């Protein structure tokens, strides 16, 4: 909603500065978005008088003009057809920067010196008029005067970001009403609402409202003797100031009054209306109709149309039709000032994808009392500016008498909801300040009569909001709620997620957040087969771009894109993780499954940006990601999750370097090296390792409880074994074999070296294992340890077909 | 023999005192304690001494050896210490052996900060689905089909009845329909709007909060938000409440804080107003209560919603919202 200060002053007197006005409106719930001085860049444009013209010696279409700017005479070359002796026009002198940024210089045009430029309205950004230079004689302008002053253009534009509940303020008068309440001054209205003509319907046309449920009121009058032409400047100026293009006096008058009162109006060329009839009815399915903008539109049975005796002539409350448009030759008009149902207009506007200033207002609600008022204003304006004559009578088709709403407002309820201590008198004062009528029903209850323009106030609570608004939200005191104490529950997954993110950051990983919607191409980049389940995604009906058109099934592609981006920006050592939702479709009109996943990606150097001084750097490998996984799982105390053979290797995974993460028989994730082909598709040239796990599945698991074990009282003995086993034998099997052997003295077993190469037989590797023995009740004797240890050695030799290697 | 022992002691003491480097230390060790050293020789000669003198002499020799060994060890420690001190000097300006650490995304950091403040006030934390039904996102919040307020929500649709939630407010209805007052809940999460420009990303984060009980007032809402803003920003941050409109609250308010960039004088960030809008709030509308079968005559409550990215921008001075979801390490490392 836009208006100018000068325009506002037409209806209300106030002393506020533009800044004060802006603050007051904002604090009253009419948030001011911008306050701008209009045409500020035109301050340097002057009025010039052409005192003589001469033909240009070298160009037929150019004229040499001798102009006076104040008392200075200048020669300016001009190509406008209306450049003539005696014309007052606008001049931009050398040094002037035009609204488009172009700087005027002293120049030579076809060999003739020109000391400036005579300007058209379009060149100055005043209007669209570009057929000639500006004509200022009718403004009583003086040569040398500033153009702003001469045309009365100086004004300040205010833009309000109107909330949908205040359609009454979608007009300059509506805003003025709020300002009048703030300034405690009366509202000055252009129409005396007490002396509106009675419209009884004895007329030269008929109005039939077939669907009154969509059209509670329809006021129509006929005018004859209309002379269509340009609007007077004051009217054009108002429209231009709010970025509306003047068209002709009839259309401009309807637009102006819509902005002034908030009542959309329409003028039909009366002679085009078949049978001199107006029928307000819903359309026939499939019916075609061409709107004023020249678009042919297909109607459906829910749309309310204004029709003549034969066919539609306007989409009710949205836009008129080309067939009944007012043209330069129109002399008879049928004027419409109606009230249409908000939902009906909104639905029609949506279905036609056609939103107009009229539909904007109807959708939010227009006061049905306004229709005859705006009609009176329109008639008088057209009498004044289009020399029309109105028929004595007209139509006011009103479905039901309009009765202002009476609401009960309880003082106690108001105070308990707001936390205030207002008296009935105070509340009465607040209400009357904004045009409500108040009477006392009982000690605690006021009866408030709501003016019809406040279409948003229909309940007691709406009145309570008005009490708060008029008193001032800021003035209401502050307290803290007194609520019985109870335990503040946490969402179940949240605590574990916080634990996991803390662990991962301590492992050197940065948290990423990617969009939940991704490109459908991710499936191709991952190399998923055509029938892969992972291609089954939730798609958006109205994505912003193709790249954000489906909900993700996996976090990995987003993170791979992050890896590439970071490499491109010279951060080639990347450790990122994301915990977020993936979405699996279930069925149409059913919410999809949402599962939290955790994905970690590692690429580049192991210690990233850490100084090489202390950390021997090399590229990350599978054991880095496995280590991250192990640290995470042990930190979360989830020992039931184990690494196992990955039996279902995804196409984007290097089959030689992957392990599944499993709980019992169920795979809940994996670690892997990203396959070469997939990396190519993501344009990544270095190895990337990832961990991907269903985090909701983890959340469902029981974290191991913390249980104390008494500290040992007797010393432990450590013995090592080095054994040569076939290359194919997994080293962890050896450790496992000892660990699972139920040996009473065994405390701990760990792998400490695996070696292949020099001095080791081809096809074999050396595995070194450290075993710790301890007795709970005595210091172990060497002999006893040796005995047990030998049993372990024998076990390994036998089970794994190994040989002892000299340590 | 006794004389020989005394001479040996004198000689050894002189030699010991003269030691000034590791080589001399080693030759001293070889000379006196080696296999061919004087003590070995003396022990051999002990056999030639009179039988009754042997224990005494043996003891003397042993004591002498032990004492010398002790003095030698002292000298060694002394010498090694002074040698080390004279060695290459440690450059203490070198960086410590700092194991690389990662960081949480700034949005998460702010979100946790917000949640922690409300948890401190006793609010529970609940989460809900990102893909919502039209019912919870709109209908339950008093935004029926064809309500102009739907224009305030540029909605991504999945189909006729499912959509990406445009706010975290659906959690009001979801929690209220399964629990009875008193309720104090916050609901953090991702939300989506079909809108992308320099000031909007199509996905962002909100924290919804609501409190429902008997006799909860607008003054209480002001009090709780005042505590939040004091903790989140600064105890002295000026706040203003001004009327606004949300279909699911009545009265509705926007809450502004004094511009953190210019201190309220007016700048580009606050569009010269000196104020920054940081959250929307209000008293829960009776229609919302009716939908979950709460009696609005018995219960009242307030709700508020805040944008996490916006607060992160204000607190950290981030001026380009696109950075949030590019996951550029140069960005992530800064917080
Ligand atoms: Zn500022």
């Amino acid at each position: 909603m836009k208006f100018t200060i000068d325009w506002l002053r037409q209806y209300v007197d106030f002393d506020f500065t533009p800044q004060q006005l802006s603050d007051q409106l904002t604090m009253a719930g009419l948030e001011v978005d911008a306050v701008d001085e209009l045409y500020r860049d035109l301050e340097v444009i002057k009025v010039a008088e052409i005192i003589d013209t001469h033909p240009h010696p070298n160009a037929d279409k150019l004229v040499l003009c001798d102009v006076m700017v104040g008392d200075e005479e200048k020669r300016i070359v001009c190509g406008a057809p209306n450049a003539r002796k005696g014309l007052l026009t606008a001049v931009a002198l050398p040094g002037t920067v035009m609204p488009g940024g172009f700087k005027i210089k002293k120049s030579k045009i076809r060999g003739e010196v020109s000391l400036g430029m005579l300007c058209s309205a379009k060149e100055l950004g005043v209007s669209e008029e570009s057929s000639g230079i500006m004509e200022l004689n009718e403004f009583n302008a003086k040569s040398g005067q500033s153009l702003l002053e001469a045309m009365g253009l100086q004004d300040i534009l205010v833009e309000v970001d109107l909330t949908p509940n205040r359609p009454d303020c979608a007009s300059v008068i509506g805003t003025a009403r709020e300002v009048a309440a703030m300034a405690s001054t009366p509202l000055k209205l252009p129409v005396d609402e007490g002396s509106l003509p009675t419209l009884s319907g004895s007329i030269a046309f008929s109005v039939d409202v077939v669907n009154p449920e969509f059209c509670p009121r329809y006021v129509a009058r006929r005018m004859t003797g209309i002379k269509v032409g340009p609007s007077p400047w004051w009217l054009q100026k108002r429209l231009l100031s709010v970025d509306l293009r003047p068209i002709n006096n009839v259309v401009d008058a309807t637009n102006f009054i819509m902005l002034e009162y908030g009542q959309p109006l329409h003028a039909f060329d009366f002679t085009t209306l078949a049978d001199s009839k107006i029928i307000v009815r819903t359309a026939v399915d499939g019916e075609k109709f061409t709107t004023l903008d020249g678009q042919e539109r297909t109607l459906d049975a829910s749309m309310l149309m204004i029709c003549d005796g034969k066919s539609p002539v306007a989409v009710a409350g949205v836009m008129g039709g080309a067939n009944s448009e007012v043209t330069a030759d129109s002399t008879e008009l049928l004027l419409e000032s109606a009230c249409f149902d908000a939902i009906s207009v909104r639905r029609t506007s949506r279905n036609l994808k056609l939103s107009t200033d009229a539909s904007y207002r109807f959708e939010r609600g227009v006061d049905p009392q306004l229709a005859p008022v705006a009609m009176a204003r329109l008639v008088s304006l057209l009498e004044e500016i289009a020399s029309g004559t109105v028929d004595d009578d007209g139509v006011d088709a009103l479905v039901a008498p309009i009765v202002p709403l009476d609401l009960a407002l309880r003082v106690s309820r108001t105070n308990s909801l707001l936390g205030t201590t207002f008296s009935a008198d105070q509340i009465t004062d607040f209400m009357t300040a904004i045009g409500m009528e108040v009477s006392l029903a009982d000690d605690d209850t006021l009866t408030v009569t709501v003016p019809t323009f406040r279409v948003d106030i229909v309940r007691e609570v709406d009145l309570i909001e008005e009490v708060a608004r008029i008193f001032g939200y800021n003035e209401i005191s502050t307290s803290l709620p007194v609520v019985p104490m109870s335990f503040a529950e946490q969402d179940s997954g949240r605590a574990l997620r916080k634990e996991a993110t803390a662990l991962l950051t301590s492992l050197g990983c940065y948290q990423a957040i990617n969009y939940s919607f991704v490109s459908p191409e991710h499936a191709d980049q991952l190399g998923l087969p055509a029938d892969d389940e992972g291609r089954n995604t939730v798609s958006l009906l109205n994505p912003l771009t193709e790249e954000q058109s489906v909900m993700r099934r996996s976090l990995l592609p987003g993170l791979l894109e992050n890896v590439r981006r970071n490499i491109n920006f010279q951060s080639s050592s990347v450790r990122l993780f994301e915990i977020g939702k993936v979405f699996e479709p279930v069925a149409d009109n059913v919410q999809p499954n949402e599962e939290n996943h955790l994905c970690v990606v590692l690429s580049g150097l192991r210690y990233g940006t850490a100084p090489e001084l202390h950390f021997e750097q090399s590229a990350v490998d599978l054991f880095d990601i496995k280590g991250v996984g192990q640290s995470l799982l042990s930190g979360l105390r989830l020992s039931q999750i184990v690494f196992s053979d990955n039996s279902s290797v995804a196409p984007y995974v290097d089959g030689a370097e992957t392990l599944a993460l499993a709980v019992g028989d169920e795979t809940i994730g994996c670690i892997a090296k990203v396959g070469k082909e997939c990396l190519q598709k993501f344009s990544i040239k270095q190895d990337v390792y990832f961990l991907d796990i269903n985090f909701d599945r983890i959340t469902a698991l029981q974290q191991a409880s913390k249980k104390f074990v008494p500290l040992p009282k007797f010393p432990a003995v450590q013995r090592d074994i080095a054994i040569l086993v076939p290359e194919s034998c997994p080293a962890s099997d050896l450790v496992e074999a000892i660990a699972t052997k139920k040996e009473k003295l065994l405390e701990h077993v760990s792998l400490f070296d695996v070696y292949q190469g020099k001095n080791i037989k081809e096809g074999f590797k050396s595995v070194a294992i450290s075993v710790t023995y301890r007795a709970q009740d005595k210091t172990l004797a060497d002999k006893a340890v040796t005995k047990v240890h030998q049993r372990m050695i024998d076990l390994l030799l036998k089970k794994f077909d190994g040989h002892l290697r000299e340590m | 023999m006794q004389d020989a022992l005394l001479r040996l002691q004198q000689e050894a003491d002189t030699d010991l005192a003269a030691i000034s480097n590791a080589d001399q230390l080693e030759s001293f060790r070889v000379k006196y304690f080696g296999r061919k050293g004087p003590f070995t020789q003396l022990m051999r000669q002990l056999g030639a001494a009179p039988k009754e003198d042997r224990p005494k002499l043996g003891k003397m020799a042993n004591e002498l050896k032990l004492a010398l060994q002790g003095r030698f060890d002292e000298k060694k420690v002394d010498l090694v210490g002074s040698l080390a001190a004279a060695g290459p000097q440690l450059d203490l300006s070198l960086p410590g052996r700092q194991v690389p650490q990662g960081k949480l995304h700034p949005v998460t950091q702010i979100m946790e900060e917000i949640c922690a403040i409300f948890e401190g006030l006793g609010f529970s934390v609940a989460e809900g689905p990102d893909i919502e039904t039209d019912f919870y996102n709109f209908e339950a919040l008093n935004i029926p089909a064809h309500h102009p307020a739907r224009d305030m929500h540029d909605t991504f649709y999945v189909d006729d009845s499912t959509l990406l939630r445009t706010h975290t407010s659906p959690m009001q209805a979801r929690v209220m329909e399964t629990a009875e007052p008193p309720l104090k809940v916050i609901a953090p999460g991702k939300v989506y709007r079909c809108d992308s420009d320099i000031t909007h990303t199509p996905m962002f984060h909100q924290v919804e909060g609501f409190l429902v009980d008997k006799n909860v007032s607008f003054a209480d809402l002001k009090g709780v938000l005042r505590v939040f803003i004091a903790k989140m920003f600064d105890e002295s941050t000026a706040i203003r409440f001004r009327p606004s409109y949300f279909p699911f609250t009545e009265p509705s308010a926007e809450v502004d804080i004094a511009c953190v960039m210019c201190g309220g004088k007016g700048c580009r960030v606050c569009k010269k107003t000196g104020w920054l809008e940081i959250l929307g709030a209000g008293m829960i509308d009776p229609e919302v209560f009716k939908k979950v079968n709460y009696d609005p005559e018995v219960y009242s409550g307030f709700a508020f919603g805040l944008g996490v990215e916006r607060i992160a921008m204000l607190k950290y001075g981030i001026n380009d919202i696109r950075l949030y979801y590019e996951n550029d390490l140069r960005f992530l490392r800064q917080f």
Side-chain angles (χ1 to χ4, degrees):
Chain A
M1 165 63 199
K2 291 177 185 170
F3 64 89
T4 71
I5 301 261
D6 187 50
W7 194 349
L8 188 67
R9 285 191 193 280
Q10 239 178 288
Y11 316 105
V12 62
D13 293 323
F14 55 89
D15 293 332
F16 309 131
T17 64
Q19 191 54 52
Q20 286 168 333
L21 179 73
S22 157
D23 287 347
Q24 295 244 30
L25 287 173
T26 297
M27 292 311 286
L30 304 173
E31 186 184 356
V32 173
D33 240 9
V35 178
D36 287 315
E37 225 173 291
L38 283 169
Y39 307 113
R40 201 166 32 182
D41 44 4
L42 294 189
E43 262 169 352
V44 289
I45 305 295
K46 295 276 187 285
V47 175
E49 181 181 4
I50 303 179
I51 53 169
D52 206 355
T53 63
H54 315 278
H56 191 293
N58 308 319
D60 291 348
K61 293 200 168 157
L62 296 178
V63 185
L64 308 181
C65 303
D66 293 328
V67 304
M68 291 300 292
V69 182
D71 48 16
E72 277 181 68
E73 186 175 334
K74 307 204 181 259
R75 167 66 62 88
I76 292 174
V77 181
C78 179
N82 62 334
R84 61 184 186 274
K85 185 176 171 184
L87 179 70
L88 284 167
T89 189
V91 64
L93 296 172
T96 303
V97 179
M98 299 293 281
F102 170 68
K103 191 172 177 181
I104 303 292
K105 285 186 243 156
K106 173 182 167 181
S107 60
K108 259 191 177 171
I109 301 172
R110 294 288 197 91
E112 290 292 321
V113 170
S114 182
L115 290 170
M117 185 171 95
L118 302 180
C119 308
S120 72
K122 186 171 183 176
E123 280 162 335
L124 295 175
V126 174
S127 77
E128 291 297 300
E129 182 56 52
S130 63
S131 62
I133 53 178
M134 293 193 81
E135 301 256 355
L136 300 174
N137 296 52
E138 62 188 271
F139 288 95
N140 293 323
K142 286 189 210 56
S143 163
Q145 195 183 12
S146 100
L147 179 72
L148 285 184
E149 200 187 318
M151 295 184 77
L153 281 172
Q154 257 157 340
D155 205 347
I156 290 165
L157 179 73
V158 180
E159 215 172 317
V160 173
D161 186 3
L162 212 57
T163 52
N165 61 323
R166 294 302 304 272
D168 60 303
C169 289
S171 65
V172 187
I173 287 177
T175 309
R177 192 184 289 121
E178 285 285 324
V179 175
M182 292 168 193
S184 306
T185 50
L187 199 57
K188 301 180 282 183
L189 294 171
V191 171
D192 176 6
E193 292 177 23
S195 60
L196 291 174
T198 312
L199 302 176
S200 62
S202 65
I203 38 161
F205 60 97
S206 72
V207 170
D208 181 10
V209 180
V210 180
N211 294 93
E213 71 276 24
F214 296 146
C215 177
R217 191 168 205 174
Y218 197 95
V219 177
R221 298 194 78 179
R222 186 177 72 149
M223 279 189 106
T224 53
I226 291 287
K227 290 195 177 72
V228 176
S231 296
W233 169 245
W234 71 261
L235 177 51
Q236 292 197 32
K237 185 176 77 174
R238 290 290 185 236
L239 297 179
L240 288 168
S241 69
V242 295
D243 286 332
L244 218 62
R245 192 164 56 92
I247 294 168
N248 59 46
N249 47 7
V250 174
V251 176
D252 292 353
T254 59
N255 281 335
F256 172 75
I257 296 168
M258 175 183 66
L259 298 173
E260 183 181 55
Y261 267 103
Q263 169 67 53
L265 298 163
H266 190 67
F268 300 98
D269 183 329
F270 185 75
T271 58
T272 65
L273 299 176
D275 308 335
S276 299
K277 263 186 187 167
I278 287 291
I279 302 168
V280 184
R281 61 154 173 92
T282 50
V284 177
D285 255 332
E287 206 171 347
K288 303 273 193 228
F289 180 65
T290 304
T291 40
L292 270 174
D293 54 5
Q295 297 267 322
E296 192 190 56
R297 298 171 190 274
T298 308
L299 309 176
D300 68 49
S302 74
M303 297 173 179
L304 189 70
M305 303 300 293
I306 311 300
C307 307
D308 61 13
K310 294 204 171 71
S311 56
V313 291
V315 185
V318 182
M319 192 181 266
N323 53 5
S324 55
E325 184 177 3
V326 174
T327 65
D329 303 327
S330 302
T331 56
E332 286 184 43
L333 304 177
L334 185 84
L335 305 175
E336 168 199 288
S337 180
C339 180
F340 298 112
D341 175 65
I343 292 176
S344 161
V345 170
R346 183 175 169 83
R347 192 169 47 212
T348 304
S349 155
R350 286 287 123 143
N351 292 352
L352 292 176
K353 295 189 171 60
L354 180 62
S355 182
T356 60
D357 285 333
S359 69
Y360 170 89
R361 287 171 173 81
F362 282 123
E363 279 178 26
R364 284 159 177 76
V366 170
D367 174 10
Q369 297 283 50
L370 209 48
V373 179
M375 177 59 85
R377 172 70 164 144
L378 179 61
V379 165
S380 92
L381 187 55
L382 288 178
E383 283 170 345
E384 177 193 330
I385 66 169
S387 33
T389 310
V390 73
D391 289 359
D392 285 343
D393 208 345
V395 170
D396 185 353
L398 181 62
V399 175
I402 297 151
V403 183
L405 199 58
D406 279 341
L407 294 173
L409 175 61
R410 288 166 293 172
V411 175
S412 57
R413 176 72 178 166
T414 305
N415 285 327
S416 79
L417 199 65
L418 297 179
T420 49
T421 52
F422 296 131
S423 65
D425 284 348
Q426 278 174 294
I427 294 177
T428 304
D429 288 347
F430 297 142
M431 295 286 93
T432 49
I434 49 169
M436 313 261 174
E437 280 171 35
V438 184
S439 61
L440 200 60
D442 63 46
D443 279 356
D444 189 45
T445 314
L446 305 172
T447 302
V448 179
T449 307
V450 182
T452 52
F453 58 80
R454 287 305 299 269
V455 292
D456 58 316
I457 297 180
V458 293
R459 304 170 300 172
E460 182 186 37
V461 70
D462 301 326
L463 289 174
I464 295 175
E465 179 175 60
E466 289 302 294
V467 171
R469 193 173 74 86
I470 301 306
F471 178 64
Y473 281 15
N474 266 342
E475 310 310 315
I476 292 175
S477 63
T478 297
S479 59
L480 283 171
V482 180
V483 182
M485 205 173 201
S486 63
F487 182 75
E489 296 290 345
Q490 281 271 323
D491 191 87
S492 60
R494 195 174 126 83
L496 195 72
R497 219 154 55 223
K498 279 166 82 172
E499 243 185 281
T501 50
L503 283 164
L504 286 164
T505 52
S506 75
L507 292 168
C509 302
Y510 284 84
Q511 187 192 20
I513 298 179
N514 282 293
Y515 285 122
S516 302
F517 27 58
V518 297
S519 167
E521 274 180 32
H522 279 174
D524 299 328
Q525 287 173 289
L526 293 177
L528 301 183
D531 59 346
D532 193 277
E533 211 281 314
R535 284 184 180 271
N536 185 16
T537 50
V538 176
S539 316
L540 301 180
L541 290 180
N542 55 335
L544 281 174
T545 68
E546 179 72 6
E547 282 73 51
Q548 300 176 342
S549 62
V550 299
M551 301 303 284
R552 61 187 177 185
R553 288 296 306 265
S554 161
L555 303 183
L556 181 63
L559 287 168
L560 288 176
E561 282 176 350
N562 300 154
V563 169
R564 178 186 55 217
R565 183 190 164 82
N566 277 297
I567 293 171
N568 289 349
F569 286 99
Q570 297 175 306
S571 305
S572 56
S573 296
V574 185
R575 296 169 83 90
L576 286 173
F577 75 94
E578 179 167 9
I579 296 188
K581 284 175 178 173
V582 300
F583 304 83
E584 185 193 355
V586 175
D588 274 355
N589 294 305
V590 174
Q591 283 173 275
N593 281 335
E594 297 184 10
E595 268 179 340
N596 281 292
H597 275 221
L598 161 64
C599 190
V600 186
V601 288
L602 305 182
S603 189
L605 296 177
R606 179 163 301 144
Y607 298 110
T609 52
E612 197 139 0
L613 180 73
H614 297 315
F615 296 91
E616 201 179 319
Q617 290 279 24
S618 58
V620 291
D621 60 29
L622 189 80
F623 298 103
D624 289 276
I625 194 72
K626 190 176 181 184
V628 167
Q630 287 173 319
S631 304
L632 179 70
L633 296 177
S634 88
L636 297 178
R637 306 196 315 282
L638 293 169
S639 53
Q640 60 273 62
I641 303 178
V642 295
F643 290 89
S644 63
D645 285 347
N646 195 350
S647 53
S648 59
V649 176
Y652 48 88
V653 155
D654 181 337
E657 297 195 25
T658 177
L659 286 170
L661 283 158
V663 183
D665 290 341
E666 187 197 356
T667 298
I668 61 166
C670 74
I671 58 162
K673 180 178 179 178
V674 180
K676 273 273 171 294
E677 244 177 82
C678 175
L679 285 182
Q680 266 170 21
K681 298 250 176 67
F682 282 94
S683 309
I684 299 171
K685 295 196 182 73
Q686 62 189 44
D687 289 343
V688 179
Y689 296 85
F690 74 95
L691 174 152
D692 188 14
I693 192 161
N694 181 333
F695 202 80
D696 283 348
R697 194 62 195 75
I698 291 190
T699 308
L701 298 173
Q702 190 76 42
Q703 286 180 283
S705 55
K706 294 174 182 172
K707 192 159 185 293
F708 170 72
V709 175
L711 304 186
K713 291 193 182 66
F714 298 94
V717 179
Q718 189 187 314
R719 292 284 173 89
D720 296 341
I721 309 173
I723 184 170
L724 289 175
V725 290
E727 201 172 30
S728 61
C729 174
S732 65
D733 285 6
L734 275 67
V735 174
E736 192 71 9
I738 294 177
T740 53
K741 178 90 183 136
K742 292 208 166 48
E743 176 51 64
K744 215 176 88 200
L745 297 181
L746 179 74
E747 183 176 75
H748 181 69
V749 52
S750 66
L751 188 71
F752 74 87
D753 191 33
V754 177
Y755 176 73
Q756 255 176 302
K758 218 173 119 189
N759 299 332
I760 304 290
K761 201 156 61 161
E762 187 95 1
F764 283 78
K765 63 183 172 191
S766 159
V767 178
I769 291 169
S770 168
V771 192
T772 310
Y773 300 97
R774 192 197 304 266
Q776 295 307 316
D777 52 357
K778 60 175 183 265
T779 300
L780 278 178
D782 231 26
K783 241 167 96 183
V785 173
T786 306
K787 206 168 129 196
V788 183
H789 192 59
Q790 190 57 48
R791 281 213 298 277
M792 296 298 150
I793 293 169
D794 293 344
L795 169 81
L796 294 184
L797 294 178
K798 196 168 148 215
K799 192 164 178 184
F800 297 98
D801 197 15
H803 315 278
L804 271 188
R805 180 178 174 222
E806 184 117 0
M807 295 290 295
Chain B
M1 177 89 194
Q2 210 166 345
D3 291 347
L5 279 171
L6 287 173
R7 264 200 315 280
L8 179 60
Q9 187 178 1
Q10 273 170 11
E11 195 186 334
D13 281 347
T14 315
D15 279 358
L16 194 64
I19 290 174
S20 66
N21 64 39
D23 285 349
Q24 289 166 351
L25 205 61
E26 179 59 11
S27 47
F28 181 92
R29 189 189 67 79
V30 172
K31 180 175 172 188
Y32 290 97
F33 305 121
R35 227 175 290 177
K36 291 171 186 162
F39 290 105
T40 319
Q41 310 242 340
L42 277 168
M43 286 306 171
R44 260 181 223 140
Q45 288 165 18
L46 203 59
K51 200 175 176 180
E52 65 278 16
D53 288 347
R54 277 183 210 159
K56 190 181 144 213
L57 284 173
K59 196 175 166 223
M60 256 181 84
N62 229 350
E63 276 169 0
L64 181 62
K65 188 184 172 185
L66 281 174
L68 188 62
Q69 181 81 51
R71 283 206 299 282
F72 173 74
D73 286 347
E74 262 171 40
K75 181 82 189 176
K76 194 168 149 186
V77 169
D78 222 39
L79 195 61
V80 169
S82 66
L83 284 177
Q89 206 177 345
L90 209 52
D91 181 353
L92 298 177
S93 72
L94 295 184
R97 209 162 271 121
Q98 200 182 2
V99 177
Q101 300 278 302
K103 283 172 177 171
L104 290 182
H105 194 283
V107 166
T108 308
Q109 292 189 31
I110 292 288
M111 187 123 113
E112 288 306 328
E113 211 178 313
I114 294 168
C115 290
I117 294 169
F118 286 108
E119 284 172 68
L121 287 167
F123 282 72
S124 304
V125 186
E127 292 178 17
D130 287 24
I131 302 185
E132 257 301 357
T133 61
D134 188 271
F135 176 79
Y136 285 111
N137 198 76
F138 291 128
E139 299 272 339
L141 295 167
N142 195 27
I143 316 175
H146 301 293
H147 192 291
R150 290 209 177 195
D151 288 351
M152 295 157 87
H153 299 249
D154 299 301
T155 312
F156 284 113
Y157 283 93
V158 170
D159 53 42
D160 290 346
S161 66
T162 32
L163 45 84
L164 304 192
R165 66 174 170 191
T166 57
H167 47 182
T168 39
S169 311
M171 287 307 287
Q172 286 182 37
R174 283 189 176 273
V175 172
M176 284 194 269
E177 70 180 6
T178 55
E180 287 297 313
L183 289 174
K184 284 189 283 181
V185 180
I186 51 165
K190 291 189 170 99
V191 299
Y192 306 85
R193 300 273 174 101
C194 185
D195 189 2
S196 183
D197 58 34
I198 28 172
T199 53
H200 299 88
T201 50
M203 179 186 91
F204 54 102
H205 295 74
Q206 278 188 347
V207 177
E208 181 81 7
F210 54 97
L211 183 148
V212 183
D213 197 7
K214 290 170 182 160
N215 299 316
V216 178
S217 72
F218 190 77
D220 293 337
L221 166 64
K222 287 186 68 177
V224 166
L225 292 179
R226 196 169 279 278
V227 170
F228 166 71
I229 288 164
K231 296 298 161 197
M232 195 70 204
F233 293 94
D234 192 273
E235 297 286 346
S236 61
T237 305
I239 312 172
R240 73 175 187 185
F241 289 75
R242 58 185 165 81
S244 187
Y245 173 72
F246 306 106
F248 41 98
T249 51
E250 188 84 9
S252 301
E254 291 281 359
V255 183
D256 298 339
I257 59 168
C259 179
V260 293
M261 305 292 170
C262 64
K265 286 190 209 74
C267 68
R268 200 181 50 80
V269 176
C270 58
K271 291 199 275 180
K272 295 192 183 140
T273 61
W275 295 97
L276 295 167
E277 191 176 310
I278 65 151
L279 60 89
M283 300 304 292
I284 297 174
D285 195 285
E287 295 304 314
V288 175
F289 283 148
K290 285 181 200 161
K291 289 253 174 16
V292 295
N293 297 318
Y294 284 9
D295 183 352
E297 286 291 316
V298 176
Y299 293 112
S300 58
F302 59 74
F304 54 85
L306 32 106
V308 180
E309 279 80 353
R310 171 136 180 100
I311 293 179
M313 288 181 89
L314 298 178
K315 277 202 81 163
Y316 299 149
I318 299 166
N319 60 8
D320 183 353
I321 55 165
R322 284 167 306 184
L323 287 167
Y324 282 127
Y325 304 111
E326 286 172 345
N327 300 310
D328 190 317
L329 285 164
R330 295 169 303 172
F331 174 73
L332 297 176
R333 280 192 194 111
Q334 294 183 22
F335 305 99

